[in-house]
Amino acid sequence: MSVLEVDRLTVSLPMVGGAARAVRGISFRLERGESLGIVGESGCGKSMTALALMGLLPDGGTLDGSIALNGRNLRTLDEAAMCHVRGNAIAMVFQEPMTSLNPVHTIGKQLVEPLMLHLGLDRDEAKVEAFSLLERVGLVDPQRYYSAFPHQLSGGQRQRAMIAMALSCHPEVLIADEPTTALDVTVQGQILDLIYDVVSERQMSLIMISHDLGVIAQTVDRVAVMYGGSIVEQGPTAEVFAQLAHPYTQGLFAAVPQVGDGRRRLRTIPGTVPELADLPQGCTFAGRCSLSRESCHHQVPDMRSVGPNHMAACLRLDAAMATSTFGLRR
Amino acid sequence: MTFVDTPMVEASGLTRHYALPRESLTAPAQRIHALNQVSLTVHAGRSLGIVGESGCGKSTLARCIMALEPLTAGTLRILGKDPHSMRPWTLRRHRRNFQMVFQDPFGSLDPRHTVARIVAEPLEVAEKWLKPEDRRLRVKEVLESVGLKEADMAKFPHEFSGGQRQRIAIARALVTRPALIVADEPVSALDVSVQAQVLNLLQDLQDNYGVTYLLISHDLAVVEYVCDEVAVMYLGRIVEQGPTVEIFSAAAHPYTRALLDAVPKMTPGERRSRSSLKGSVPNPVDINPGCPFADRCPLVESHCRFQAPELREVSPGHLVACHLA
């Protein structure tokens, strides 16, 4: 049984002028010990997917479809039961650690609180556990970090503290939402190493959300590409990177400048990401796609298989695969 | 007005320190050493990229070159003239030759002004004598050169997406026909697919109008894509400088190599080599006498901690500040 099984998940957010469907019927599953990457540009619904899994949608947001954790549908749980799931079963690391840590409490206090609340430890046991967590995430000299306030730490250290908090109650699933976007590139490497290590040593499942294809390529087993609230392509990372099927995935990969490419001209995707409030009727990418036909604007494409476990949602898949001249630039 | 033999930018020993508030009445005020003895030359038509992590002084360097920040020490010449010693009015007119594009296209455009007014504003200082219809024509031309339409002139910034706003900011920088554009992280606030459009635009403008860029970025791929030369900064100093091709194929400074290694490559399956750097950029308040990178350097030797390495040439045009290079 999969740890996490998401089926036709839809998230609607109230907006001026009607509800915006930020996530439109996405389905995926996550096995134990597996890592899944969700990649896409801003506004594609990747963060909203993460918040929906955590049961932390913004006010007025509504869910449809099902989220099953070890076979139990999270949508049927009340808030008290959901509080138990959060932290114990699913934990999350956010993008900007400064805004997600409480600035008026020490790191120690914020670390001890879930240990006492969720695991029922007393204060002394919790403190011992907190010290070992801080050491595990590379904050050696835990006494100092235990009594430090978030503003006294650097960005990388804060993110390490966030990871310690996420690990504290031994969750089965770790969701990391752009965990390194706010960090410098040399620190980013250290944090990715840390996430990779703790996830594999504890046999956790990982959902890594990122806009950076390099980060995705090197940290996850499977990847899902999101655009306009839908998953347009998903499959094993090596499979997807070798054979880009969906026109959006192809465009996205071609638009990224790579170190070592020199002054090669970048292929661009014309236009911009559509507003969530008025997404097109049919395929959300139709307006920017060079292969789109009349039918693309009316009909929502279904996921079709393009290889072993590799699927893409496009009506013009054959044409798209034919134009996919490169697997991936070496 | 380009002088053929005068370098576009000639900076020597640029230094900028900021005083921190005193911690006690008797203690001397501490200083942040944001920029230490930075010297560089940019020739017309050659673009220089400046890379480094946050806090390395790259934005301070841009602001000092734009004469938006006073210098603590050092001399700067832009097209042979020193903007820091000019009287304010002369400086304002000299500014037509060097313009800036800022990082955040949401913060750098006045939300209450129309695009036409935003883009025309530099002309009011630089070319006051232009008749309104000529000014309008110039704005129209420059908007077209960045891929916007004449109809966009009456719109307000909020009607545009991030990429389009950055085009407006670039148009505003271009309208005085400057020889030099200083761009501080021009694409880091943009999405990947939009970033590619703006990068291609920067390259087109260079090819068509011969603009010289001083491009600040934390993204090595962006710099490689636009610039002929690269300078790598660490703790307010240039640690390596040279032709882009050479820096990317044969980096000599251990910090540059670590930066290049740290960029995640788009090759799945191949695990990233473990990060070779420990810790993060130290605080620029206490500068130790030795090499600024000594504390994090994987190759550090004992004399690195006492003696600061000078920039020296390891091959033509390729400068490195490292004892071991």
Side-chain angles (χ1 to χ4, degrees), chain B residues 4-228:
Chain B
V4 182
D5 289 331
T6 323
M8 188 73 69
V9 182
E10 219 178 345
S12 81
L14 295 190
T15 303
R16 176 74 176 123
H17 295 172
Y18 296 98
L20 288 174
R22 279 167 196 273
E23 287 188 345
S24 82
L25 276 175
T26 49
Q30 286 189 307
R31 295 172 148 261
I32 292 198
H33 301 72
L35 212 55
N36 293 309
Q37 298 286 333
V38 169
S39 302
L40 52 87
T41 307
V42 186
H43 290 280
R46 307 272 298 164
S47 292
L48 175 69
I50 303 197
V51 292
E53 297 179 276
S54 48
C56 73
K58 52 194 197 302
S59 290
T60 308
L61 176 63
R63 295 180 63 84
C64 286
I65 286 176
M66 285 303 296
L68 296 171
E69 268 315 317
L71 290 171
T72 309
T75 56
L76 172 70
R77 299 229 179 294
I78 292 182
L79 290 164
K81 293 185 202 154
D82 179 2
H84 286 275
S85 65
M86 282 180 182
R87 302 182 68 84
W89 176 244
T90 330
L91 173 61
R92 284 185 86 182
R93 273 183 308 181
H94 189 39
R95 280 197 190 279
R96 64 177 300 183
N97 298 314
F98 57 105
Q99 293 281 330
M100 185 153 180
V101 176
F102 296 90
Q103 170 172 8
D104 179 10
F106 294 83
S108 61
L109 303 176
D110 190 326
R112 292 159 180 264
H113 289 182
T114 61
V115 169
R117 187 165 165 197
I118 290 170
V119 175
E121 205 165 4
L123 291 176
E124 308 207 348
V125 177
E127 292 175 54
K128 262 181 99 150
W129 53 86
L130 274 185
K131 291 196 215 96
E133 58 267 30
D134 291 341
R135 188 176 295 172
R136 208 182 147 74
L137 194 68
R138 279 281 283 281
V139 171
K140 179 179 157 244
E141 279 172 13
V142 77
L143 282 178
E144 278 167 1
S145 73
V146 299
L148 294 172
K149 292 186 285 291
E150 192 181 356
D152 293 328
M153 284 168 72
K155 292 187 187 166
F156 288 88
H158 72 260
E159 297 175 71
F160 295 91
S161 66
Q164 287 173 315
R165 281 188 228 206
Q166 202 57 301
R167 286 171 193 265
I168 297 170
I170 293 170
R172 174 177 60 185
L174 279 174
V175 76
T176 60
R177 297 176 183 153
L180 171 72
I181 289 187
V182 176
D184 188 359
E185 302 269 12
V187 294
S188 60
L190 306 177
D191 265 320
V192 173
S193 66
V194 180
Q195 167 180 308
Q197 296 168 9
V198 173
L199 286 177
N200 281 345
L201 170 67
L202 289 177
Q203 215 178 63
D204 289 343
L205 295 172
Q206 198 173 38
D207 295 344
N208 298 340
Y209 303 100
V211 194
T212 303
Y213 293 115
L214 190 75
L215 184 96
I216 316 273
S217 181
H218 68 282
D219 188 336
L220 294 159
V222 165
V223 167
E224 185 188 20
Y225 182 70
V226 180
C227 299
D228 311 299

Side-chain angles (χ1 to χ4, degrees), chain A residues 40-299:
Chain A
E41 297 177 279
S42 51
C44 72
K46 53 192 197 300
S47 292
M48 216 37 85
T49 305
L51 292 178
L53 295 180
M54 292 290 288
L56 291 174
L57 284 183
D59 281 347
T62 51
L63 269 185
D64 209 9
S66 80
I67 304 169
L69 182 75
N70 291 323
R72 189 161 65 135
N73 191 350
L74 296 187
R75 284 199 57 212
T76 58
L77 299 183
D78 58 7
E79 183 55 28
M82 199 58 212
C83 275
H84 194 72
V85 169
R86 252 177 248 137
N88 285 350
I90 312 181
M92 187 157 169
V93 175
F94 295 89
Q95 171 173 356
E96 191 9 276
M98 197 58 217
T99 51
S100 40
L101 291 172
N102 190 335
V104 302
H105 292 313
T106 60
I107 298 292
K109 178 163 184 187
Q110 298 181 57
L111 203 45
V112 161
E113 193 184 359
L115 290 170
M116 292 168 64
L117 216 61
H118 283 263
L119 300 185
L121 304 182
D122 67 31
R123 190 164 291 277
D124 293 337
E125 292 167 343
K127 191 168 175 182
V128 172
E129 178 65 21
F131 271 42
S132 79
L133 281 166
L134 286 172
E135 270 184 339
R136 176 61 203 96
V137 297
L139 296 174
V140 282
D141 189 5
Q143 179 63 57
R144 188 180 132 221
Y145 293 104
Y146 186 85
S147 47
F149 286 93
H151 74 267
Q152 295 170 310
L153 306 185
S154 71
Q157 290 167 338
R158 274 182 221 138
Q159 201 58 288
R160 286 175 192 272
M162 275 295 292
I163 293 170
M165 281 169 212
L167 293 179
S168 58
C169 303
H170 310 287
E172 294 167 78
V173 180
L174 180 70
I175 303 176
D177 185 3
E178 305 262 9
T180 57
T181 307
L183 304 177
D184 278 319
V185 63
T186 55
V187 181
Q188 162 173 293
Q190 300 166 9
I191 297 294
L192 291 178
D193 287 346
L194 174 65
I195 292 179
Y196 178 73
D197 288 345
V198 295
V199 163
S200 51
E201 89 190 15
R202 296 182 179 215
Q203 279 288 301
M204 286 193 281
S205 309
L206 172 72
I207 298 182
M208 170 76 83
I209 298 178
S210 181
H211 69 280
D212 187 329
L213 291 165
V215 169
I216 291 291
Q218 302 199 325
T219 42
V220 297
D221 308 326
R222 244 162 17 92
V223 61
V225 183
M226 284 190 77
Y227 184 81
S230 318
I231 292 181
V232 295
E233 180 163 357
Q234 68 171 312
T237 313
E239 202 63 48
V240 172
F241 275 63
Q243 174 74 70
L244 309 170
H246 196 278
Y248 173 67
T249 321
Q250 294 173 4
L252 188 66
F253 275 67
V256 184
Q258 282 277 292
V259 171
D261 277 357
R263 281 195 59 151
R264 183 183 57 89
R265 195 165 177 77
L266 295 171
R267 238 174 62 192
T268 61
I269 308 177
T272 50
V273 181
E275 290 290 329
L276 284 176
D278 56 358
L279 282 180
Q281 274 303 307
C283 172
T284 40
F285 188 58
R288 300 175 75 186
C289 182
S290 58
L291 299 171
S292 68
R293 291 274 171 83
E294 188 56 32
S295 55
C296 296
H297 292 274
H298 305 297
Q299 192 184 339

